[in-house]
Amino acid sequence: MGDWFQQFLGKVGGKLDAQAGGASAVRELVLKLVPHVQRAIEQQARTDGGRHVAPHVIRIALPYELHRSLLESARQSLAEQVQESAENFIRDRRYGLTGKLEVHVLSDVFRDQPSVKVGFEREGTAANPQAMTVRLVTVQEKELFAGPLKPGDSIRLGRAQGNTVVLDDGSVSKFHAVLLLDAQNRLTVQDLGSTNGTFVGSAASRLEGAALLASGETVSFGDVAVRITLT
């Protein structure tokens, strides 16, 4: 999926217009993803009681930036169009199903291109998300955030208004980093190309890409150190 996705990003880039809800991007994503969905269904189909049965849970993981760029309505449209295509494919192959066909569009900070995974059971919390309470407190004991997150939810941190958590400090970039709860209820942190970097724990080198966080971990956004508690 690598080459086409890089070309796709180059073409749509920041042009996922809000007026169309990213409709053109969704159409292109559907066209590119459908063959991968069909191949995955074909590979994972099994025989049950003398009949061929197709997996009914489809998970599409999008890179964080792409997932964020698409409106909620666009992500819903993507899921609906992939589901319709999968239903037609399964019907044409005369496969059975052991459950209602489900398509879930998720965000994954560890990926740099979309991925497709199919199965017969709901994996982790993707289809039945459980909320996790996240609390962010500075080392000076100032509470920055406290509330529940469910898989796919994120907390954006930066100096600019409009972030979930505004850090009014000159060492912090306008849009500095993001915390994301993934499909397995794991909290991750990703730097958004900040000037002064993001540092996890006592690491001397700035964060490249994304990292998993444990409860009680301290993350520094520029010079601002934040302790993260998960319950």
Side-chain angles (χ1 to χ4, degrees), residues 164-204:
T164 315
V165 174
V166 177
L167 300 175
D168 187 15
D169 187 280
S171 69
V172 177
S173 294
K174 290 182 178 179
F175 301 98
H176 196 104
V178 61
L179 300 174
L180 173 72
L181 194 65
D182 71 10
Q184 285 72 47
N185 250 24
R186 303 175 303 181
L187 190 69
T188 62
V189 59
Q190 182 180 32
D191 187 84
L192 298 177
S194 67
T195 300
N196 294 311
T198 299
F199 301 83
V200 178
S202 59

Side-chain angles (χ1 to χ4, degrees), residues 11-215:
K11 180 159 59 175
V12 295
K15 301 177 183 177
L16 299 176
D17 62 73
Q19 291 183 346
S24 61
V26 168
R27 284 195 296 271
E28 185 158 355
L29 271 173
V30 170
L31 289 174
K32 296 298 185 179
L33 287 170
V34 160
H36 296 277
V37 172
Q38 293 177 346
R39 189 178 308 117
I41 291 173
E42 196 79 74
Q43 291 173 344
Q44 296 298 319
R46 67 189 185 192
T47 302
D48 184 4
R51 65 171 185 158
H52 292 297
V53 177
H56 62 277
V57 180
I58 301 171
R59 298 175 67 247
I60 297 172
L62 301 179
Y64 170 76
E65 289 296 339
L66 176 58
H67 187 275
R68 187 181 68 163
S69 298
L70 292 172
L71 298 176
E72 176 62 32
S73 59
R75 295 195 293 268
Q76 180 63 33
S77 177
L78 172 61
E80 291 173 353
Q81 291 181 53
V82 169
Q83 180 169 333
E84 181 180 1
S85 174
E87 287 173 342
N88 291 335
F89 179 78
I90 291 168
R91 184 168 52 250
D92 290 345
R93 291 294 191 277
R94 299 184 183 278
Y95 290 159
L97 290 168
T98 58
K100 182 180 178 181
L101 192 64
E102 305 174 6
V103 178
H104 305 282
V105 178
L106 310 169
S107 173
D108 191 336
V109 295
F110 291 107
R111 295 191 178 276
D112 58 7
Q113 57 189 351
S115 71
V116 172
K117 188 173 183 179
V118 303
F120 290 89
E121 296 179 356
R122 294 176 174 181
E123 179 178 312
T125 56
N128 187 25
Q130 300 296 317
M132 174 183 288
T133 299
V134 178
R135 185 168 181 254
L136 309 181
V137 181
T138 68
V139 293
Q140 292 81 25
E141 298 300 328
K142 177 183 177 181
E143 185 170 88
L144 301 173
F145 178 91
L149 295 183
K150 64 180 185 296
D153 286 347
S154 62
I155 301 171
R156 287 177 292 137
L157 303 99
R159 199 175 71 251
Q161 297 297 319
N163 284 288
T164 315
V165 174
V166 177
L167 300 175
D168 187 15
D169 187 280
S171 69
V172 177
S173 294
K174 290 182 178 179
F175 301 98
H176 196 104
V178 61
L179 300 174
L180 173 72
L181 194 65
D182 71 10
Q184 285 72 47
N185 250 24
R186 303 175 303 181
L187 190 69
T188 62
V189 59
Q190 182 180 32
D191 187 84
L192 298 177
S194 67
T195 300
N196 294 311
T198 299
F199 301 83
V200 178
S202 59
S205 57
R206 60 190 296 162
L207 176 67
E208 299 290 343
L212 290 173
L213 297 176
S215 184

